[in-house]
Amino acid sequence: WYFNLQTLVLVLFGIYSALLFYHVLEMCRHVAAEFVQSRHMQKSCKNFLGDFLSEPWNLAELISLGISLATFVSFLLWVLNVFRAQFNFSMDEFLKYVVPNEEVKLYGIPQVV
């Protein structure tokens, strides 16, 4: 059951990654096209940025893309965390991690009877 959910999450993350990659490419194409158009009108780079970001749709797209990229990176960091790979988290009584006695005393962990 858990394996199926884990596989589903990875498949959905793959789809999300592909769509995010497509969105980044589309945004790059859009910015490049706008830049070429501004160069034909002999505007400076500074004016191009001002004009581009003054349109609410472009600003909303850039913010959305930034949030999506931050989400993508956060999920990758969570998945690739070494601690998660080395330790098995379980609520099953027989699979729980047993804290060694030395660490129980060191950190003052109350003992559960």
Side-chain angles (χ1 to χ4, degrees), residues 1-13 75 78 84:
W1 170 250
Y2 179 73
F3 176 75
N4 292 336
L5 290 178
Q6 202 173 26
T7 304
L8 178 65
V9 167
L10 289 176
V11 168
L12 290 175
F13 182 69
F75 185 76
W78 180 75
R84 287 188 62 254

Side-chain angles (χ1 to χ4, degrees), residues 13-101:
F13 182 69
I15 293 169
Y16 179 75
S17 301
L19 292 173
L20 182 60
F21 182 68
Y22 172 76
H23 186 66
V24 167
L25 288 179
E26 280 298 309
M27 187 54 135
C28 289
R29 277 192 226 157
H30 178 65
V31 170
E34 291 281 330
F35 184 72
V36 167
Q37 184 179 6
S38 75
R39 296 305 287 170
H40 284 301
M41 295 169 46
Q42 297 180 348
K43 289 185 179 180
S44 68
C45 193
K46 188 177 179 181
N47 287 340
F48 160 72
L49 284 176
D51 290 344
F52 185 78
L53 295 176
S54 67
E55 293 182 33
W57 184 254
N58 291 338
L59 188 59
E61 285 288 316
L62 282 176
I63 291 171
S64 172
L65 187 60
I67 292 170
S68 296
L69 286 171
T71 303
F72 178 80
V73 169
S74 296
F75 185 76
L76 275 181
L77 290 175
W78 180 75
V79 167
L80 299 175
N81 191 338
V82 176
F83 179 77
R84 287 188 62 254
Q86 290 177 347
F87 295 98
N88 182 22
F89 295 97
S90 176
M91 294 305 293
D92 187 3
E93 190 64 34
F94 297 109
L95 297 177
K96 283 186 178 179
Y97 176 73
V98 178
V99 179
N101 288 334

